[in-house]
RNA sequence: GGGGAGGUCGCAUAGUGGCCUAGUGCGGCGGUUUGCUAAACCGCUGUAGGAGCAAUCCUACCGAGGGUUCGAAUCCCUCCCUCCCCGCCA
């Protein structure tokens, strides 16, 4: 959510930002009109409420029955008028909030302009793609042959785009999760969180998934709860409606959770393998920081995610996303690992700064100094990393001619010392 | 799931229709006193919105939302949450 004061005082700046993202700038005018009317009504009703408070106090002291009755009936009229105005104000406020919650974040000035994902900028490529002296297989062939991924039984249980991991496949994923959590908690200063995997609607509003991006969510029937699409949602909302001390910041959390995304995509797209599925596991990093530090923190967040790629020794590239691909962030970097079997770059991490956009929605505040007024803090998050695609990258990069897979060195202590899967 | 007790200012508590501009204690901040610390005493102490250059003032907030009333922390309704007992259960 944007600051209404910013919209009031610099509407042109907001319109320009919306235009850069390809969003409708006229939203600003609807919000401003409603804001003005709302404030005029508040002014009017507050005068009446002040009057009623004073006269009600007088009534309690009046002994003269006639005078008393006259004031009571006068206040009855005032009370009716107040009720009318309050009704109008709450209707205006509901609409005002609806429009404000719909409004996206504004891109940072340093974000490249663009209209599609093709306008994203490759910042750098790290690592040399392995030269194969045989034709590398896609992970679904390797996984089925090794008996570590079972697609058919996944479909039998839950339908298409669900899968079952077995044996060394399960073990590899569990090793990755544990290793990544250890890396971020022991080397990068994050503290671990295990949140609920279902959340209330207001929590999804807090991160910005609702109302605008609700079409991909799995809702629990009959429970007013939704399965989380990412750990970002519960973890970012951890301190909602709280006022933190400046000395508490920065707070870095890391959480492993399953994630559910009911992606509405064309039936033929990415159906093979585990690249695009309805349920997957992910380790997520979330930062709560003071406003002046958030862009420096974004860079270290990216570096923390890159460390995972480097330690696994898998080639990857860093992308700076353009204005069309920002979601609700002001600035976003993606990490993509090279997968030689499917011959594509796989998005394994997305690192975003939201500035105060989520803080305002979730009411996440801190006190800059003792006694000072509370201010909204800045939130960031980044995958560190998303499991199925890292699994793909490991399987396809570390495969051998006989279809076995070498276990990356850093994972071996987490795999009971195993050096090869197969 | 059944029965009972509750949710009030950072914490603890008082408050059953107007004396509540929510009292008191603790904590916190400032001051007086003081060789230092402590004690004692005095003052201050939330959030949001609005008016004003400012001092300051107004409005709302006693779990949430409705209702009754000239007036609600207090009465009524619905919901949420916490604690205790019983049942069930990983």
């Amino acid at each position: 959510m944007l600051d209404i004061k910013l919209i009031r005082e610099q509407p042109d700046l907001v319109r320009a930002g919306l235009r850069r993202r390809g969003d409708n700038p006229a939203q600003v005018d609807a919000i401003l009109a409603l804001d003005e009317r709302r404030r005029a009504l508040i002014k009017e009703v507050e005068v009446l409420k002040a009057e009623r408070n004073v006269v009600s106090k007088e009534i309690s002291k009046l002994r003269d029955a006639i005078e008393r009755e006259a004031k009571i009936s006068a206040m009855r009229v005032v009370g009716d008028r107040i009720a009318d105005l309050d009704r109008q104000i709450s209707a205006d406020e509901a609409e005002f909030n609806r429009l404000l919650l719909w409004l996206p974040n504004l891109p940072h000035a340093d974000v490249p302009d663009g209209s599609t994902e093709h306008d994203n900028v490759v910042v750098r490529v790290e690592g040399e793609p392995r030269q194969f002296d045989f034709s590398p297989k896609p992970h679904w062939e390797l996984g089925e042959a090794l008996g570590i991924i079972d697609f058919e039984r996944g479909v039998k249980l839950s339908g298409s785009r669900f899968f079952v991991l077995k044996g060394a496949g399960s073990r590899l994923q569990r090793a990755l999760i544990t290793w990544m959590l250890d890396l971020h908690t022991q080397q990068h200063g994050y503290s671990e969180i295990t949140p609920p995997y279902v959340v209330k609607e207001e929590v999804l509003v807090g991160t910005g998934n609702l109302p605008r991006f609700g079409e991909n969510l799995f809702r629990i029937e009959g429970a007013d709860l939704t399965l989380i699409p990412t750990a970002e949602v519960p973890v970012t909302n951890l301190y909602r409606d709280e006022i933190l001390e400046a000395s508490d910041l920065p707070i870095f959390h890391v959480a492993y959770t399953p994630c559910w995304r009911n992606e509405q995509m064309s039936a033929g797209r990415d159906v093979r393998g585990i690249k695009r599925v309805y349920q997957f596991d992910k380790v997520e990093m979330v930062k709560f920081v003071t406003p002046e530090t958030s862009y420096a923190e974004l860079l270290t967040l990216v570096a923390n995610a890159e460390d995972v790629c480097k330690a696994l020794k898998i080639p990857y590239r860093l992308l700076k996303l353009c204005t069309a691909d920002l979601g609700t962030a002001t600035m976003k970097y993606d990490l993509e690992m090279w997968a030689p079997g499917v011959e594509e770059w796989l998005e394994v991490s997305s690192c975003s700064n939201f500035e105060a956009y989520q803080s305002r929605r979730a009411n996440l505040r801190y006190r800059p100094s003792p006694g000072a007024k509370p201010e909204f803090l800045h939130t960031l998050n980044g995958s560190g990393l998303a499991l199925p695609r890292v699994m793909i990258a490991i399987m396809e990069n570390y495969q051998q001619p006989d279809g076995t897979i070498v276990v990356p060195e850093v994972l071996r202590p987490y795999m009971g010392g195993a050096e090869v899967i197969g």
Side-chain angles (χ1 to χ4, degrees):
Chain A
M1 186 157 71
L2 298 181
D3 188 354
I4 180 60
K5 287 188 192 120
L6 176 75
I7 301 173
R8 266 181 219 146
E9 287 159 18
Q10 296 178 271
D12 287 337
L13 185 144
V14 176
R15 286 190 195 98
L18 291 175
R19 226 174 268 121
R20 284 186 69 208
R21 297 181 39 107
D23 232 280
N24 181 8
Q27 296 171 90
V28 168
D29 302 283
I31 288 170
L32 285 176
L34 210 46
D35 179 49
E36 210 166 303
R37 185 169 79 172
R38 181 181 130 266
R39 287 202 292 166
L41 292 175
I42 287 172
K43 219 183 266 187
E44 189 180 347
V45 81
E46 285 191 350
V47 170
L48 293 175
K49 282 181 177 172
E51 183 191 351
R52 181 176 69 178
N53 288 345
V54 170
V55 177
S56 289
K57 197 151 286 183
E58 288 170 15
I59 290 171
S60 70
K61 291 175 187 131
L62 277 179
R63 291 285 156 260
D64 185 312
I66 295 168
E67 208 178 332
R68 190 182 161 90
E69 195 44 55
K71 293 215 172 188
I72 286 175
S73 56
M75 281 310 101
R76 200 171 286 142
V77 174
V78 171
D80 288 346
R81 177 69 182 143
I82 288 172
D84 282 348
L85 287 168
D86 273 344
R87 256 189 296 276
Q88 183 59 54
I89 288 166
S90 62
D92 279 2
E93 231 143 50
E95 177 65 1
F96 176 74
N97 284 331
R98 199 184 66 77
L99 294 176
L100 211 53
L101 286 172
W102 189 264
L103 206 61
N105 210 344
L106 300 180
H108 188 278
D110 294 343
V111 170
D113 283 301
S115 51
T116 74
E117 59 181 314
H118 301 295
D119 299 315
N120 295 336
V121 175
V122 177
V123 178
R124 61 174 181 269
V125 181
E126 296 277 348
E128 284 294 314
R130 176 180 158 195
Q131 295 303 309
F132 288 85
D133 49 15
F134 61 97
S135 172
K137 295 184 179 119
H139 64 284
W140 56 83
E141 282 180 28
L142 295 163
E144 271 184 330
L146 290 167
I148 62 174
I149 307 179
D150 190 334
F151 295 99
E152 273 183 37
R153 293 197 175 95
V155 172
K156 181 169 73 179
L157 294 174
S158 306
S160 72
R161 299 189 190 278
F162 286 93
F163 65 100
V164 173
L165 288 180
K166 302 198 296 193
S170 299
R171 183 77 189 265
L172 177 63
Q173 174 159 293
R174 184 157 56 85
L176 273 166
I177 292 165
T178 308
W179 167 68
M180 290 192 291
L181 287 171
D182 285 351
L183 177 71
H184 296 311
T185 54
Q186 291 165 17
Q187 310 289 317
H188 298 150
Y190 292 77
S191 73
E192 187 172 348
I193 298 288
T194 306
Y197 302 156
V198 292
V199 292
K200 302 180 199 173
E201 183 167 312
E202 71 221 51
V203 172
L204 288 151
V205 172
T207 34
N209 298 79
L210 287 176
R212 196 161 181 164
F213 304 100
E215 65 279 354
N216 290 344
L217 299 170
F218 278 108
R219 294 190 169 80
I220 307 282
E221 195 178 332
D224 291 331
L225 290 169
T226 302
L227 288 161
I228 56 171
T230 158
E232 166 196 352
V233 174
V235 176
T236 303
N237 280 276
L238 257 190
Y239 307 107
R240 67 180 289 126
D241 299 323
E242 293 186 33
I243 300 170
L244 302 172
E245 295 304 322
S247 56
D248 296 332
L249 299 177
I251 295 172
F252 300 167
H253 285 314
V254 63
Y256 152 72
T257 70
C259 304
W260 290 270
R261 295 186 187 176
N262 190 10
E263 299 208 21
Q264 313 293 319
M265 65 211 118
S266 49
R269 191 172 167 209
D270 298 325
V271 280
R272 303 206 71 178
I274 57 173
K275 177 186 162 190
R276 200 175 288 276
V277 286
Y278 287 149
Q279 178 189 311
F280 62 95
D281 293 79
K282 181 159 61 67
V283 169
E284 181 79 6
M285 300 174 282
V286 178
K287 290 185 170 189
F288 303 86
V289 308
T290 55
E292 56 277 8
T293 60
S294 67
Y295 283 94
E297 293 287 0
L298 177 61
L299 295 181
T300 58
L301 180 67
V302 171
N304 296 154
E306 285 187 76
D307 280 350
V308 177
C309 307
K310 286 176 182 161
L312 288 172
K313 299 190 168 130
I314 292 173
Y316 68 93
R317 61 180 192 180
L318 176 65
L319 265 54
K320 188 170 191 176
L321 300 196
C322 74
T323 50
D325 223 5
L326 286 175
T328 52
T330 58
M331 188 184 283
K332 186 185 296 222
Y333 291 94
D334 274 6
L335 287 180
E336 297 183 338
M337 279 182 171
W338 175 247
V342 292
E343 296 188 292
E344 60 178 319
W345 294 95
L346 300 176
E347 180 188 330
V348 292
S349 181
S350 216
C351 299
S352 307
N353 186 0
F354 299 91
E355 296 191 9
Y357 186 81
Q358 295 182 321
S359 293
R360 239 175 241 114
R361 293 169 159 257
N363 196 22
L364 301 169
R365 292 177 296 170
Y366 79 106
R367 209 178 289 284
S369 59
K373 258 178 85 75
E375 280 178 25
F376 292 109
L377 45 78
H378 281 193
T379 60
L380 304 93
N381 66 61
S383 342
L385 307 166
L387 266 298
R389 293 179 183 175
V390 176
M391 297 273 285
I392 294 172
I394 289 173
M395 292 170 72
E396 295 188 2
N397 279 289
Y398 281 88
Q399 64 180 295
Q400 304 189 94
D402 63 357
T404 60
I405 293 160
V406 173
V407 177
E409 266 179 63
V410 287
L411 295 180
R412 290 178 194 171
Y414 294 85
M415 295 278 290
E419 295 179 7
V420 177
I421 295 172

